[in-house]
Amino acid sequence: MTPYAGGVPSDPNRTLYFDNAATTPVRPEVVAAMSPYLTEQFGNPSGSHVVARAAVRAMDEAREVIAGIIGCGPGEVIFTSGGTEADNHAITGGMPPQPGVPICTAVEHHAVLDVVKALDGKVVNVDRAGRVDLDSLKATLGDVDGAASVVSVMLANNEVGSVNDLGPVADLVEEFSTSEHAILLHTDAVQAAAWLDLRIAAARANMISISAHKLGGPKGVGALVVRAPTTIRPMILGGGQERGRRSGTPSVASIVGFAEALRAVERDRSEVNERLTHLKDRFVTGLTAAVQGANPTVEGVVTLPGTCHICFEGADSESLLLLFESVGIVASAGSSCSSGATEPSHVLSAMATPESLRQGAIRFSFGHDIAVDDIDRALSLIPDAVSRAREFFS
Ligand code: PLP
């Protein structure tokens, strides 16, 4: 079977790729935009001659496009190798790490959570839907008594898709900041950027992480936005690129592709979000009607239009994934380590999802070009696959 990468969606021989939260296919217009910078326009933007200047222009243009869509100034965009680097940079504050106590929620991606833990920071609770518990955040800010360096709250969770309202978080950060010491608000918008207007959703964040491969762009490129007057020390030292904030020869083609992908996301956002909201609804309604013990993990709160997290009672994630794949559906358990093996989800534990549900957790994450036929085909295949997975489970 060939992977589903857009095109004619009703082709029954295509794999139904429902793992877009892991990575997305690169959009054709992104490949086209990148192509010249992989071939004739190969210049290193650090130079000053004519070949270098073409690369500089491409980067400047991409930076402007990205800044406009995120809602910041071009000078506030630092290109990185992706979301992980952006998160590490935001939490450490560069090299050496900034003094103070970093704080994050218990459901952050490991690119935030592990850095906070490595720096002896504090982890705050979330509610049953995986959103920040404001009382826990307030108590933690009080406990560290003005010593907080950064508060990191993700805009949307990568496993269950629940969306945080950053307004009340920003209010708390302000309440505990003083004229001598401003606590910074960072948001990991890696999952959210494909769906939400960051000009609004992340308007009050001092720092924002995004990654191109989650929104139809290439892997290995992303950005950390650092809004003035916040400044940050570099984490990667060397040639002084990105105005001294991130050294290393930039991948011009990837940066051009990143901008093109964001442009496409922005252009299509309202139509895609409306369509996907309906299709996700159709999927959940169909699935819960056809499969007893199929429970949507979060309900009644705002979630990303493309993310649908279901816990199947009486089955385990690994068997479910294998059986789904055997009928042409690719999804994920939501949490996997780099070896591909499933590990227990820190997100579901923090949400206090009961163990009986957690073991059969599956994340279906849809792409912007999914069609109703894809949903209906999945609905016709999943019930039998779940029954077979349940036979392995005792
Ligand atoms: N943050 C979140 C919420 C993510 O989902 C991911 C990737 O899965 C990352 C950070 C890491 O991004 P990247 O793969 O670009 O390093």
Side-chain angles (χ1 to χ4, degrees):
M1 264 183 194
T2 49
Y4 177 58
V8 183
S10 56
D11 180 348
N13 291 320
R14 283 185 195 273
T15 296
L16 292 168
Y17 180 74
F18 292 169
D19 200 14
N20 286 271
T23 197
T24 55
V26 180
R27 288 176 184 248
E29 63 265 51
V30 170
V31 175
M34 290 173 69
S35 175
Y37 299 95
L38 294 166
T39 49
E40 70 270 22
Q41 309 266 35
F42 57 85
N44 183 335
S46 297
S48 55
H49 47 66
V50 63
V51 182
R53 287 202 301 276
V56 172
R57 269 197 305 278
M59 275 190 64
D60 286 350
E61 215 180 291
R63 201 187 296 277
E64 292 237 354
V65 168
I66 291 167
I69 294 171
I70 299 176
C72 63
E76 295 171 333
V77 175
I78 304 174
F79 288 119
T80 65
S81 63
T84 300
E85 183 190 321
D87 284 344
N88 272 255
H89 199 174
I91 304 302
T92 58
M95 204 173 73
Q98 66 192 329
V101 183
I103 297 171
C104 74
T105 80
V107 297
E108 296 299 313
H109 189 274
H110 285 294
V112 168
L113 191 59
D114 291 4
V115 186
V116 167
K117 287 181 177 167
L119 295 173
D120 287 330
K122 302 276 183 199
V123 177
V124 305
N125 300 335
V126 293
D127 65 14
R128 302 294 281 240
R131 298 168 306 170
V132 59
D133 175 338
L134 293 169
D135 292 332
S136 174
L137 177 58
K138 186 168 184 169
T140 306
L141 282 163
D143 282 350
V144 301
D145 197 20
S149 51
V150 60
V151 169
S152 184
V153 174
M154 68 202 319
L155 201 43
N157 182 263
N158 49 299
E159 287 188 35
V160 295
S162 45
V163 173
N164 275 303
D165 176 0
L166 292 184
V169 177
D171 288 343
L172 275 179
V173 167
E174 260 172 41
E175 186 184 323
F176 283 86
S177 291
T178 61
S179 50
E180 290 82 48
H181 175 63
I183 302 167
L184 301 179
L185 174 58
H186 167 250
T187 192
D188 176 336
V190 167
Q191 291 293 335
W195 309 98
L196 305 184
D197 185 345
L198 299 188
R199 282 170 294 220
I200 300 164
R204 293 179 65 191
N206 304 103
M207 295 184 284
I208 308 169
S209 301
I210 54 174
S211 177
H213 75 101
K214 308 288 188 182
L215 45 88
K219 293 168 186 61
V221 64
L224 177 65
V225 168
V226 181
R227 281 206 171 100
T230 300
T231 54
I232 193 164
R233 280 193 291 272
M235 189 177 68
I236 297 178
L237 305 172
Q241 288 88 345
E242 295 294 282
R243 293 208 264 136
R245 296 167 300 178
R246 199 279 187 186
S247 288
T249 302
S251 172
V252 179
S254 300
I255 288 166
V256 167
F258 180 15
E260 192 62 30
L262 258 186
R263 217 199 299 252
V265 161
E266 162 95 341
R267 182 193 62 213
D268 300 343
R269 185 184 291 123
S270 61
E271 182 274 318
V272 168
N273 283 7
E274 199 186 320
R275 186 162 43 80
L276 274 264
T277 302
H278 284 119
L279 290 179
K280 183 164 94 170
D281 216 47
R282 184 182 181 98
F283 183 70
V284 173
T285 309
L287 196 59
T288 48
V291 181
Q292 261 202 351
N295 306 284
T297 313
V298 288
E299 281 185 295
V301 305
V302 182
T303 53
L304 294 176
T307 303
C308 181
H309 196 278
I310 306 278
C311 288
F312 293 93
E313 282 173 51
D316 70 285
S317 309
E318 241 163 288
S319 306
L320 286 164
L321 288 174
L322 277 173
L323 285 155
F324 290 161
E325 187 167 337
S326 75
V327 295
I329 301 169
V330 173
S332 129
S335 176
S336 58
C337 63
S338 50
S339 67
T342 306
E343 59 179 25
S345 160
H346 70 285
V347 173
L348 298 184
S349 340
M351 288 164 54
T353 306
E355 177 56 32
S356 59
L357 293 177
R358 260 188 267 167
Q359 55 204 5
I362 299 291
R363 177 187 67 189
F364 300 96
S365 49
F366 306 127
H368 67 96
D369 51 2
I370 189 173
V372 68
D373 290 4
D374 300 324
I375 294 291
D376 290 349
R377 185 148 69 89
L379 287 173
S380 74
L381 297 166
I382 289 175
D384 182 54
V386 174
S387 301
R388 287 196 285 144
R390 282 178 171 156
E391 285 166 21
F392 292 113
F393 195 73
S394 52

